[in-house]
């Protein structure tokens, strides 16, 4: 009996999928074959050349990455889709994109699909254009693009991603944050809107078309409620951006809120807005590394919304230790992080490398959920609750995308054509990626795992199904 065909959805809250085809990935990647080749090739060379056993070990280390690269290239190019339920239209590539470059046009026409990396690099240079709305064309990408690795991706991974991941110094964090977020407030306002929140919002009703501002206010209210924020409490927001959550907590929950950011522009923007809102006595942004806070400083509630990814895998445990030391023993910690699925497809990696290169350099601590949970528990935290909100991120990204389309021409004149094209691909592709689960977002609420922590105080209707909205 064959698999049931995909039935399109019609939710008002999101950009509904049109062609959510399954790609090849870990279900079609055989680890036994890879490790057989990774060990077999150096063993064969050692035996054939009559070399000593220790040389086999040297060859195994030296050839591991090249063999991995060749294996990934071949499997990404030739592996079949895994249990795909979506029939692709089979249209020629010319239906979707216009290729201006003669060499590219000679290679990719008709049903010859263009590798995704080659497509977006060529698009950024103006060698290719979309035939219509980029989001609509990207929805049909499986019909015209191939998700196979190319030399440029391996080069970026080896020469930039790996060194940055292993090094990940404070200077690197500061330089990358300021290079990205000090670009210009008008650039970000062009798609984030007046609230200036660069993190996932939350849908309150899947049958309702909420505005971007409603999604973001839903999210900020949810965060404050999840950590039981109360009047007069000291609140620290790590990686506060333009300070919207810092100000929201101070205004609506009467907290004494401090936000920290490495971006001078964000801090100046946020503090000016607090003054305009009349809350500068309760909300304040500081341009500094939170690790430089004075010893002994304590906070009742600490939030970190999509900043922890930038800490890096190597320094993540140190980061959580610092958070624990800043948190009062009876306090609550909320961490929202952009994550990945463990059941990967090749598209997931290709999108991830694009993001690391062009959008969020240094954000290497985006992982599957189990890694975050293990890191928190190792650092002495107890997990209170977890929510996966990737589809909410998709709704947020879609609204960012439409804002960008409305405002992109003045930004193109100021910042150049390439950055506008990069953001078109980023926002359109990520809308899809978040909806289909390739990347997602986790909301994790935690407390110190102490014997004297009052766990009963956290009991709420979350565990009472009769109180849930149907």
């Amino acid at each position: 009996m064959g698999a049931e065909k995909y039935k399109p959805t019609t939710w008002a809250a999101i950009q509904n999928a049109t062609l959510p085809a399954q790609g090849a990935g870990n279900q079609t990647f055989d680890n036994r074959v890879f490790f057989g080749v990774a060990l077999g090739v150096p063993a064969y060379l050692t035996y054939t050349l009559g070399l000593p056993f220790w040389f086999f070990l040297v060859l195994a280390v030296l050839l591991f990455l090249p063999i991995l690269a060749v294996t990934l290239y071949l499997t990404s190019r030739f592996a079949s889709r895994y249990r795909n339920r979506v029939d692709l239209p089979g249209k020629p590539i010319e239906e979707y994109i216009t290729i201006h470059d003669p060499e590219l046009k000679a290679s990719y026409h008709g049903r010859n699909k263009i590798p995704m990396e080659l497509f977006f690099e060529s698009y950024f240079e103006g060698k290719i254009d979309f035939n219509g709305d980029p989001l609509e064309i990207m929805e049909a990408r499986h019909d015209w693009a191939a998700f196979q690795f190319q030399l440029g991706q391996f080069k970026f991974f080896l020469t930039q991603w790996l060194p940055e991941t292993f090094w990940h110094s404070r200077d690197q964090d500061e330089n990358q944050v300021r290079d990205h977020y000090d670009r210009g407030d008008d650039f970000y306002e062009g798609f984030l809107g007046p609230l200036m929140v660069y993190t996932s919002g939350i849908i309150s009703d899947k049958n309702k078309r909420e505005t971007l501002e409603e999604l973001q206010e839903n999210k900020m209210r949810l965060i404050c409620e999840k950590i039981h924020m109360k009047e007069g409490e000291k609140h620290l927001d790590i990686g506060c951006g333009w300070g919207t959550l810092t100000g929201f907590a101070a205004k609506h929950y009467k907290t004494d809120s401090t936000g920290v950011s490495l971006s001078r522009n964000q801090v100046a923007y946020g503090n000016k807005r607090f003054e305009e809102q009349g809350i500068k006595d309760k909300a304040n942004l500081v341009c500094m590394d939170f690790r430089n806070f004075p010893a002994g400083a304590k906070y009742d509630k600490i939030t970190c919304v999509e900043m922890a990814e930038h800490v890096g895998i190597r320094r993540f445990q140190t980061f959580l230790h610092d958070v624990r030391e800043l948190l009062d023993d009876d306090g609550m910690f909320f961490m929202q992080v952009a994550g990945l699925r463990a059941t990967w497809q090749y598209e997931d990696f290709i999108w991830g490398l694009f993001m690391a290169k062009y959008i969020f350099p240094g954000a290497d601590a985006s992982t599957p959920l189990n890694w975050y949970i293990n890191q928190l528990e190792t650092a002495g935290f107890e997990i209170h609750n977890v929510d996966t909100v990737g589809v909410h991120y998709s709704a947020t990204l879609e609204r960012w995308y439409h804002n960008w389309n409305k405002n992109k021409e003045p930004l193109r004149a100021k910042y150049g054509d390439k950055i506008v094209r990069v953001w078109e691909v980023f926002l359109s592709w990520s809308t899809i990626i978040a909806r289909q689960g390739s990347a997602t977002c986790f909301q994790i609420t935690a407390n110190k795992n102490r014997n004297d922590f009052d766990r009963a105080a956290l009991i709420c209707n979350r565990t009472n199904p009769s109180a849930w909205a149907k």
Side-chain angles (χ1 to χ4, degrees), residues 324-431:
R324 188 189 68 208
E325 292 305 302
L326 287 167
L327 185 66
D328 185 82
D329 285 347
D330 295 319
M332 297 288 293
F333 173 45
F334 175 90
M335 182 173 74
Q336 181 168 307
V337 284
L340 305 170
R341 59 182 172 189
T343 305
W344 54 266
Q345 296 179 21
Y346 292 106
E347 180 182 14
D348 304 359
F349 289 141
I350 293 169
W351 172 84
L353 290 170
F354 156 74
M355 293 290 287
K357 183 177 181 180
Y358 286 105
I359 310 301
F360 296 122
D364 57 80
S366 288
T367 73
L369 177 61
N370 65 318
W371 188 84
Y372 292 119
I373 299 300
N374 180 63
Q375 289 291 309
L376 282 160
E377 291 182 335
T378 300
F381 286 97
E382 177 183 42
I383 308 303
H384 178 56
N385 58 56
V386 180
D387 285 300
T388 300
V389 296
V391 70
H392 300 259
Y393 218 148
S394 177
T396 308
L397 282 154
E398 184 211 354
R399 286 151 179 80
W400 290 349
Y401 171 77
H402 290 306
N403 278 351
W404 182 257
N405 275 345
K406 287 188 293 185
N407 300 312
K408 67 183 179 183
E409 292 311 320
L411 297 172
R412 193 194 307 272
K414 181 174 180 179
Y415 294 99
D417 182 63
K418 182 175 181 178
I419 194 66
V420 169
R421 289 173 174 263
V422 169
W423 245 248
E424 281 178 342
V425 172
F426 157 48
L427 295 173
S428 61
W429 196 6
S430 297
T431 296

Side-chain angles (χ1 to χ4, degrees), residues 229 235 245-257 279 282-284:
M229 205 170 265
H235 163 225
L245 174 60
T246 308
F248 184 90
K251 182 177 180 179
H252 297 281
Y253 290 82
K254 312 301 181 185
T255 56
D256 181 6
S257 292
I279 56 171
K282 303 294 290 181
N284 180 49

